[in-house]
Amino acid sequence: MVTAGRTANGDTKERLLAAAERLFGEEGFARTSLRAITLAAGVNVAAVHYHFGSKEALLAALFTRRAAPLNADRLARLDVIEAAAGDGALPLEAVLEAFVAPAFRLIAELDPAGPSPAQLIARFFSEPEEVVQRMLREQFGEVGARFLVALRRALPEVAAVEVGWRFEFMIAVLTHLLSRMHLLEIVPGRALGPADEATTIRRAVTFLAAGFRAPAGGAA
Amino acid sequence: MVTAGRTANGDTKERLLAAAERLFGEEGFARTSLRAITLAAGVNVAAVHYHFGSKEALLAALFTRRAAPLNADRLARLDVIEAAAGDGALPLEAVLEAFVAPAFRLIAELDPAGPSPAQLIARFFSEPEEVVQRMLREQFGEVGARFLVALRRALPEVAAVEVGWRFEFMIAVLTHLLSRMHLLEIVPGRALGPADEATTIRRAVTFLAAGFRAPAGGAA
DNA sequence: GTCTATAACGGGATAGAC
DNA sequence: GTCTATCCCGTTATAGAC
């Protein structure tokens, strides 16, 4: 198929992306060396710079590769919901699921075994690198804004400021789930047990929907 | 007061802790060099090794210094609630506030201006270092277990497994708040506005309480 | 207890052969 | 496109003077 000969496979770039996604997700960006990545990928150190240019550029490539389809999926689902609702109020659970479910889809579809891709996406929210924070704003800005509007339409009785805060709580729950779901948690004897994707989504949506609907005033 | 002479102040150790707390919290452990810390503290590089032994030991010192009183405060509040309740069911909002409020107290009491101490505590939950993860289990194990029991006592009508998951959601919301509260968020035009401590606590508790009480079944 | 100087190492990046 | 070899820098940590 290809013109010139090479080592054994032509997908060095893909192998690098896969290895980097896993290691960045598990160890974080700063702790992961290019040497560790290329070793895991079975390619040469220089390959990173040839294919991507720098360590940061590799990270950026990983980010957009996952975030773009993730957010496209979210917006497509939201389009459907908004079209079905016409001018009426939006169904809250549906909106929440449109935001949450694609992230879990990301886990299941790609690497059935490993914890890989979603963990990295979630980790982005806590990585201090400026590049990361800038890309977060770029990639999630539009989705966030549109979902915020949708949530307000779904909750006309809740003050807009409160919806804004609760939107932040939703992001918290989602990123926490994605980044830590695979490991045994801090508190022993939790016995959360392994749950399938659909159950986890339902759990999150149920919890979040109730929180979003709560009357704002109530003190204890 | 002191016997022998020295540079200008005797609180090198304290200055190191303060600088490290801020920098680790803002930049993360791996990205923060000892040079940056000692520069910010106005002390010599070697002082870190003299007073603490290593970079990791400095981190550990920071962790226990904050986590211990934080969790003691939580448990004390829980004691009061349990004593008042006798054998009856526990009041959910009170239990949640006993868990959430001490963390915010941590912010307000110590450094009224800066974002410092709580941000680091929250960051611990996403730092990949094994030391950090081990200390998390050690320091938060007891508190987590006791609050989990208390939450189940407060919610006899909710399945124990669900309470376990929702406990995890609560940690998500809290850490997210503590680590990111200071900065403008990803979605522009949110207009969350600056909120005082009491309001933020009330917001979180209201949201969480409703989520915890939600009937488990409901699909959309 | 505090400093300077330096050791010992690993990191990202690049040049140039193939 | 892929490799080897190497540059150059910043890092933690330590030894030893003061």
Side-chain angles (χ1 to χ4, degrees):
Chain A
M1 299 300 187
V2 276
T3 46
R6 57 189 60 141
T7 42
N9 46 19
D11 49 6
T12 300
K13 201 167 175 177
E14 206 54 45
R15 296 167 62 84
L16 277 172
L17 286 169
E21 184 158 65
R22 183 174 65 81
L23 289 170
F24 284 158
E26 288 172 356
E27 297 289 318
F29 180 75
R31 272 175 62 90
T32 305
S33 70
L34 289 181
R35 295 179 147 83
I37 294 170
T38 51
L39 178 71
V43 307
N44 192 273
V45 210
V48 172
H49 296 94
Y50 178 80
H51 286 286
F52 299 96
S54 74
K55 189 186 177 187
E56 275 202 351
L58 169 59
L59 184 72
L62 281 170
F63 184 85
T64 46
R65 184 173 74 139
R66 297 300 184 206
L70 168 66
N71 287 330
D73 191 0
R74 280 171 170 158
L75 290 177
R77 289 173 188 236
L78 186 56
D79 285 340
V80 173
I81 295 168
E82 288 179 339
D87 287 342
L90 298 179
L92 177 62
E93 271 83 0
V95 175
L96 293 175
E97 187 167 341
F99 190 85
V100 168
F104 286 93
R105 190 63 39 93
L106 200 63
I107 308 178
E109 276 181 8
L110 295 167
D111 192 341
S116 327
Q119 196 181 351
L120 179 58
I121 293 282
R123 189 176 281 283
F124 274 102
F125 283 81
S126 56
E127 292 278 9
E129 276 76 18
E130 312 143 21
V131 208
V132 174
Q133 295 302 322
R134 182 173 43 75
M135 291 199 304
L136 271 181
R137 282 192 298 273
E138 287 170 9
Q139 286 283 343
F140 286 96
E142 185 197 352
V143 218
R146 276 205 53 194
F147 270 87
L148 194 58
V149 171
L151 287 168
R152 286 183 177 144
R153 268 191 68 191
L155 293 159
E157 73 280 9
V158 179
V161 197
E162 296 298 328
V163 179
W165 280 87
R166 291 169 184 185
F167 179 81
E168 207 62 45
F169 298 162
M170 175 179 70
I171 292 182
V173 168
L174 184 57
T175 56
H176 190 81
L177 269 177
L178 295 181
S179 62
R180 302 182 64 83
M181 213 176 40
H182 61 292
L183 48 81
L184 13 84
E185 284 297 339
I186 286 134
V187 179
R190 183 80 49 84
L192 295 182
D196 60 307
E197 180 190 332
T199 308
T200 310
I201 293 175
R202 187 178 46 69
R203 277 203 173 101
V205 169
T206 303
F207 180 86
L208 293 171
F212 266 103
R213 285 205 182 93
Chain B
M1 303 299 187
V2 277
T3 47
R6 57 188 58 141
T7 40
N9 46 19
D11 49 5
T12 301
K13 202 167 174 177
E14 205 53 46
R15 297 167 62 85
L16 276 173
L17 286 169
E21 185 159 64
R22 184 174 64 82
L23 289 169
F24 283 159
E26 289 172 356
E27 297 289 319
F29 180 74
R31 271 175 64 89
T32 305
S33 70
L34 290 182
R35 294 176 142 82
I37 294 170
T38 51
L39 179 70
V43 305
N44 194 273
V45 209
V48 172
H49 295 94
Y50 177 79
H51 285 285
F52 299 96
S54 73
K55 188 186 176 186
E56 274 202 352
L58 170 59
L59 184 72
L62 281 169
F63 184 84
T64 47
R65 183 172 75 138
R66 297 300 183 204
L70 168 66
N71 287 329
D73 191 1
R74 280 171 171 159
L75 291 177
R77 289 172 186 238
L78 186 56
D79 284 339
V80 173
I81 295 168
E82 287 178 340
D87 288 343
L90 298 179
L92 177 61
E93 271 83 0
V95 175
L96 293 176
E97 186 168 342
F99 190 85
V100 168
F104 286 93
R105 191 61 40 93
L106 200 64
I107 308 178
E109 274 180 8
L110 295 167
D111 193 342
S116 327
Q119 196 180 353
L120 178 57
I121 293 282
R123 188 176 280 284
F124 274 103
F125 284 81
S126 55
E127 292 277 9
E129 276 78 15
E130 312 143 20
V131 208
V132 174
Q133 295 300 320
R134 182 173 45 74
M135 293 199 304
L136 270 181
R137 282 191 298 273
E138 287 170 8
Q139 285 283 343
F140 287 96
E142 185 198 352
V143 219
R146 277 204 53 196
F147 269 86
L148 194 59
V149 172
L151 286 168
R152 285 181 180 145
R153 268 190 69 192
L155 294 159
E157 73 280 10
V158 179
V161 198
E162 296 297 328
V163 178
W165 280 87
R166 291 167 184 186
F167 179 81
E168 208 62 46
F169 299 162
M170 175 180 67
I171 293 181
V173 168
L174 185 57
T175 57
H176 190 82
L177 268 179
L178 295 181
S179 62
R180 302 184 64 84
M181 213 178 41
H182 61 294
L183 48 81
L184 13 83
E185 285 296 340
I186 286 134
V187 178
R190 182 82 49 83
L192 295 183
D196 60 308
E197 180 191 333
T199 307
T200 310
I201 294 175
R202 186 179 46 70
R203 277 203 173 103
V205 170
T206 303
F207 180 86
L208 293 171
F212 266 101
R213 285 206 182 92

